[in-house]
DNA sequence: AAAGTTTGTGCTGTGTACAGCTCTGGACAA
DNA sequence: TTGTCCAGAGCTGTACACAGCACAAACTTT
C-alpha cells in the first residue's frame, strides 16, 4: 500500500487535476513505490484523490502511452514489466542521447544545476550508509532533473526524460544485489558532474552520465549472466 | 472540410476505436489535411465516427501529448502552430537521430523497404509533375514508414517517428514556395535510398536521410530570411 | 459616441450509469 | 480424482448529463 513519498498532497480543490495525478502516479512507478506488476485500480485511485474515475483514466492512459503501464480490458491497469529486449534498446539509446547533451548546452542553467548537484552529495552518502533505497531513488531523480535542464534542445530534453523514466523501473528486480555498487557509483557520478559543472563543461556532464549509464547496464548484464533464469 | 485520404473507413463496429481514431486524426494533421490552427470539435468528430465524445477525447488528449494539438478549457482543441524555436530543436534532433540509424540496422527489413522505396519513384515523379501536394505528403509518409522499419532499436524507432510527425507540420506554411525544390529533392532521396538498400547499407540510408532533412531545414531558413515577417 | 458591463452561446471538464470483457471458483460429469 | 463448463464478480470501455469556463455580442451607462 503506497504511502506519502514527498509528493504534494492530493488536494481535491486543485485545478490541473489529471496532470497532477499523472505526475504523482508516474513518480510512484519510477520510484518503484508501485513495483512492476502492481495493479492500479481506477476506483481505488478515484477514492484516494477524491475525484471520479474520469480524471484517473486520463492519467492512466497517459502512463500507458509512456510505456509505463499496460491497460487490458476487463482486467485492469498494471505496471509493466520491462522485458530485456526493450531494456537493452532503451539503454542503448540513452547512451547516445547522453552523448548528444554536449551538442545543445544550456549554459544559463549551469549555476542552478551546480547548486543542486552539490546539495546531493551529502544525502547520497547518507542514503548509501543507511541502505535507504527510497531516498536513493529520489536522489537519482533529482540528479536526472538537474541534468535535464542543462539540455537547451527541448526535443532532446523531452526524449531524455522519457527514457529515463522508462529505464529506471528495471532496477526494481536487481537493486537488492546491486545497491552497494550503484550507490557508490552514484556518489562518483555526482562528484564528477559537480566538477564538470564547476568548469562549465556541459558536454562533460553528458559524457559522465553516458559512462555511468553504461556501467549500470553492464552490471545488470553481469548479474543476469550469473542468474540466468530471472523470475 | 476533410475528405477521405486513403484512411480506413470509420467503421463503427471496430474494436480498438480510440486508437484508430487517434491514428486517423494524426494522419490528417500530418498530411496537413487539418492545417495549423484548425479547430477539432469533439462533437463534430463524435458524429463523424459515430461514437460518443469519450473515445474522441481520448484520441485528442493523446494528440495533445504528442504535441500536435492544444486543448484549452472552454475553447476547444486546435492544431498547434509550430513556432520556429521548437521547429529548430526538432530538426536538429532529427539530424542526430538519423545519424544513429546505422548503429541499429534491421537487415531483415531491407528487402521489404527496398520494394517499397522502388515503388515510390514513379508516383513521386507523377506527383511532382501534377503539382499534387496531397500525394506528395502521402509518399513522404510512406518513405518515412519504410525507413523507420529499418531501425532495429525500438526506442529509437518510436522517437524517430514521433519527431517526424511533429516536424512535417512545418511544411504547411512554406510548401507553396518550396514544393518544386522539395519534390525534386524527394526524388533524389528515394533514388539514393534505393541504391543504398540495394547494397544493404542501412547506415547509408540514415546518412542520406540526415542530409535531406538538412537540405529541407536550410531551405526553410533561407525562405524565412527572404520573408522576415512570417504571418 | 465610446467605454464598461452583462448576458448568451458553445466549448471542454467532470461525474455517473450501464454495457462488454476477463478471470475465477464451484458444480458436475467422466 | 480430474477435466470441463458455467455463472458470477470485478474490471475497464462507452455513452450521456451536467457543471465550469471563455469568448463575443449586445446592452447599458456615461
Amino acid at each position: 500500500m503506497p504511502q506519502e513519498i514527498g509528493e504534494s498532497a492530493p488536494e481535491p480543490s486543485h485545478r490541473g487535476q489529471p496532470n497532477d495525478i499523472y505526475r504523482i502516479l508516474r513518480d510512484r512507478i519510477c520510484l518503484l513505490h508501485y513495483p512492476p506488476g502492481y495493479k492500479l485500480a481506477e476506483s481505488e485511485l478515484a477514492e484516494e484523490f477524491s475525484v471520479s474515475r474520469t480524471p484517473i483514466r486520463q492519467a492512466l492512459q497517459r502512463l500507458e502511452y509512456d510505456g509505463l503501464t499496460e491497460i487490458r480490458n476487463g482486467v485492469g491497469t498494471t505496471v509493466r514489466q520491462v522485458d530485456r529486449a526493450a531494456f537493452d534498446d532503451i539503454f542503448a539509446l540513452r547512451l547516445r542521447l547522453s552523448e548528444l547533451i554536449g551538442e545543445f548546452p544550456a549554459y544559463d542553467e549551469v549555476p542552478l544545476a551546480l547548486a543542486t548537484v552539490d546539495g546531493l552529495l551529502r544525502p547520497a552518502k547518507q542514503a548509501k550508509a543507511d541502505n535507504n533505497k527510497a531516498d536513493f531513488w529520489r536522489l537519482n531523480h533529482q540528479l536526472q532533473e538537474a541534468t535535464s535542464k542543462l539540455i537547451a534542445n527541448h526535443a532532446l530534453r523531452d526524449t531524455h526524460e522519457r527514457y529515463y523514466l522508462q529505464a529506471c523501473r528495471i532496477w526494481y528486480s536487481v537493486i537488492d544485489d546491486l545497491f552497494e555498487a550503484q550507490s557508490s557509483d552514484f556518489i562518483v557520478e555526482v562528484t564528477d558532474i559537480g566538477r564538470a559543472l564547476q568548469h562549465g563543461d556541459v558536454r562533460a556532464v553528458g559524457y559522465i552520465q553516458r559512462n555511468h549509464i553504461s556501467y549500470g547496464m553492464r552490471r545488470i548484464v553481469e548479474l543476469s549472466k550469473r542468474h540466468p533464469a530471472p523470475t
Side-chain angles (χ1 to χ4, degrees), chain A:
Chain A
M1 197 53 58
Q3 207 50 32
E4 302 299 325
I5 56 169
E7 65 209 15
S8 52
E11 294 287 339
S13 61
H14 204 249
R15 286 277 241 74
Q17 278 177 4
N19 201 22
D20 290 346
I21 293 171
Y22 160 76
R23 206 161 298 182
I24 291 171
L25 295 180
R26 193 192 63 184
D27 284 345
R28 285 182 184 171
I29 291 172
C30 296
L31 292 172
L32 303 180
H33 214 83
Y34 293 151
Y38 186 89
K39 184 174 179 182
L40 296 116
E42 293 183 356
S43 52
E44 274 183 27
L45 293 171
E47 195 172 357
E48 177 188 349
F49 291 99
S50 304
V51 294
S52 85
R53 274 178 53 211
T54 308
I56 300 293
R57 301 197 79 239
Q58 285 185 34
L60 292 180
Q61 272 152 18
R62 218 165 131 180
L63 288 172
E64 189 199 25
Y65 194 44
D66 277 343
L68 296 177
T69 63
E70 188 176 4
I71 303 177
R72 279 190 303 160
N73 190 348
V75 178
T77 302
T78 52
V79 178
R80 275 213 346 212
Q81 313 267 357
V82 188
D83 64 302
R84 273 304 299 273
F87 160 75
D88 289 343
D89 279 0
I90 290 169
F91 265 69
L93 181 58
R94 287 185 70 214
L95 290 183
R96 315 299 174 142
L97 293 178
S98 292
E99 291 167 6
L100 286 178
I101 290 178
E103 305 282 323
F104 308 100
Y107 292 115
D108 296 347
E109 300 288 340
V110 167
L112 181 62
L114 181 56
T116 306
V117 170
D118 278 345
L120 287 177
L121 194 56
R122 182 197 294 270
K125 287 177 178 170
Q126 189 68 42
K128 175 174 158 63
D130 298 347
N131 202 37
N132 187 331
K133 299 192 181 75
D135 276 358
F136 177 62
W137 291 132
R138 213 181 342 268
L139 297 171
N140 242 314
H141 243 52
Q142 286 175 22
L143 179 63
Q144 169 68 18
E145 204 175 339
T147 52
S148 272
K149 287 180 184 157
L150 295 170
I151 306 173
N153 185 309
H154 208 277
L156 177 60
R157 181 160 62 194
D158 284 352
T159 307
H160 188 251
E161 285 183 7
R162 180 182 179 85
Y163 287 113
Y164 167 76
L165 293 173
Q166 291 214 25
C168 59
R169 281 174 309 133
I170 195 70
W171 295 106
Y172 179 76
S173 54
V174 296
I175 191 58
D176 287 327
D177 293 321
L178 296 181
F179 182 79
E180 186 71 21
Q182 280 301 117
S183 55
S184 299
D185 215 53
F186 182 73
I187 292 168
V188 174
E189 186 178 357
V190 168
T191 308
D192 287 356
I193 287 180
R195 190 181 303 121
L197 287 172
Q198 275 170 353
H199 289 287
D201 192 341
V202 174
R203 185 178 294 267
V205 173
Y207 289 151
I208 292 165
Q209 188 172 75
R210 189 222 87 97
N211 294 340
H212 287 269
I213 291 170
S214 177
Y215 303 156
M217 187 166 69
R218 283 159 198 275
R219 279 197 195 94
I220 291 177
V221 171
E222 282 301 313
L223 188 71
S224 55
K225 271 185 196 163
R226 263 176 287 161
H227 300 278
T231 45

